[in-house]
Amino acid sequence: MPSDMHALADLLRAWRTRLAPADVGIESFGRRRTKGLRREELAQLAGVSVDYIVRLEQGRSRTPSAQIVAALARALQLDSTETAAFYRAAALAPPGSDTVSHHIPAGVQRMIVRMSDLPLAVFAADWTLLHSTPLWRSLFGSPSVTDDPAQNLIVQTFVENSIAGIATAHGGPAAFERALVADLRRTAAAHGNDTSFRRFIADVRAQSPRFAALWDEGHVAAHQSMVKTVHHPVVGDIVLDCDVVTVPDSDIKLVLYSTKQSGPDADKLECLRAGGGRATVRSDADSVAAAHPGN
């Protein structure tokens, strides 16, 4: 598929200038000579270097990868039509309807910005993490998607066995694991022709007999809500409601943790929101990233 680097550069500049810092949850500092996001801000949001943004906008980079295009599309809050145009301008085929999408709709991205003070995360249909708020990362001691773009809840649960030490589902870990696999079965029904997704399932089956046994049970159901106790190294155990919402006309999942407005659990969550235990959490996140660099 031939590329049009001038079209790519023009689109990138146009989309960058139409976003205000407040649209993406960034505070605006200093005088701005031009409207829109600065290149440095877009680079930070997408997890790429500023120099790479410059080269793309000047037409000097001719081979942006699909991963970079997807990251920039999310950072720029593109809709599905614009995202497809972005892929084509980069000489890439847009993801097909059978492919598990990692695109977060623009409206959902704006909603996430307004809910940035809550423990909220966005997952793809294969449970790949696409976005998490600062309070989510403080709660679970996890790195950002920018720092570790390959985080996947299925892998963390069944291959790395790291989730059990972080949170305990009421009703037992088996209930949580069964709910995850049943939800993943729904994805298989909708995206069974996605070769990457089929390979992902085969890899997890090969590495986790527990996952293979649950997968072979054939249960299909949406993962919706559950009560969990999160084991935090600084503030202690926090009992929270976990709700999973699938965005209409999309496979994107919003996962939100909440508690009552008052009480010990609310106080602990507010302590994390205010920055309590931040240094320890960051240290734990660095340890996770170092232990699982390919996660």
Side-chain angles (χ1 to χ4, degrees), residues 50-95:
V50 178
D51 178 66
Y52 193 72
I53 298 293
V54 172
R55 286 188 283 124
L56 283 174
E57 290 193 352
Q58 292 179 348
R60 293 188 288 118
S61 178
R62 300 182 178 278
T63 56
S65 68
Q67 183 179 13
I68 288 177
V69 171
L72 287 169
R74 286 196 296 270
L76 291 164
Q77 300 186 1
L78 305 185
D79 62 27
S80 57
T81 302
E82 291 170 334
T83 299
F86 198 10
Y87 272 86
R88 293 189 181 97
L92 296 167

Side-chain angles (χ1 to χ4, degrees), residues 271-294:
C271 179
L272 292 178
R273 183 179 287 111
R278 182 178 299 165
T280 300
V281 170
R282 185 180 297 115
S283 176
D284 290 346
D286 292 342
S287 298
V288 171
H292 306 290

Side-chain angles (χ1 to χ4, degrees), residues 67 128-129 145 148-152 155 294-295:
Q67 183 179 13
T128 294
L129 181 65
V145 173
D148 185 357
Q151 299 173 70
N152 182 280
V155 173
N295 180 24

Side-chain angles (χ1 to χ4, degrees), residues 76-270:
L76 291 164
Q77 300 186 1
L78 305 185
D79 62 27
S80 57
T81 302
E82 291 170 334
T83 299
F86 198 10
Y87 272 86
R88 293 189 181 97
L92 296 167
S97 59
D98 288 337
T99 303
V100 174
S101 175
H102 286 193
H103 174 71
I104 304 176
V108 175
Q109 294 191 49
R110 290 190 289 270
M111 180 174 64
I112 292 168
V113 170
R114 297 185 180 97
M115 300 172 70
S116 60
D117 64 334
L118 300 176
L120 170 71
V122 185
F123 290 86
D126 61 358
W127 288 100
T128 294
L129 181 65
L130 303 179
H131 174 83
S132 61
T133 61
L135 186 53
W136 175 283
R137 297 194 291 273
S138 293
L139 183 63
F140 294 106
S142 60
S144 69
V145 173
T146 300
D147 293 335
D148 185 357
Q151 299 173 70
N152 182 280
L153 187 58
I154 299 295
V155 173
Q156 291 168 334
T157 301
F158 293 100
V159 178
E160 297 174 357
N161 294 309
S162 60
I163 295 300
I166 297 173
T168 300
H170 293 203
F176 169 65
E177 293 174 356
R178 182 167 282 106
L180 270 183
V181 176
D183 188 274
L184 201 62
R185 272 282 189 183
R186 294 176 68 246
T187 302
H191 302 288
N193 293 326
D194 185 338
T195 55
S196 295
F197 177 73
R198 293 204 307 268
R199 186 164 52 251
F200 169 72
I201 296 298
D203 288 345
V204 179
R205 281 178 58 91
Q207 296 179 73
S208 173
R210 191 167 77 258
F211 175 85
L214 290 174
W215 184 264
D216 291 342
E217 288 181 1
H219 293 303
V220 182
H223 183 24
Q224 295 179 330
S225 63
M226 189 171 285
V227 179
K228 295 182 182 179
T229 297
V230 177
H231 312 295
H232 195 275
V234 176
V235 301
D237 286 355
I238 316 175
V239 179
L240 298 166
D241 293 323
C242 174
D243 293 293
V244 182
V245 179
T246 300
V247 178
D249 299 322
S250 171
D251 290 328
I252 297 299
K253 307 174 192 297
L254 300 182
V255 180
L256 174 66
Y257 281 80
S258 62
T259 187
K260 296 178 180 178
Q261 290 187 344
S262 61
D265 298 309
D267 291 342
K268 292 176 182 178
L269 199 61
E270 185 58 36

Side-chain angles (χ1 to χ4, degrees), residues 23-43:
D23 295 331
V24 296
I26 295 176
E27 286 191 53
S28 180
F29 295 102
R31 183 179 179 182
R32 290 177 179 262
R33 297 179 180 178
T34 59
K35 64 179 181 179
L37 294 179
R38 293 172 173 145
R39 288 166 172 165
E40 295 84 355
E41 293 166 340
L42 176 57

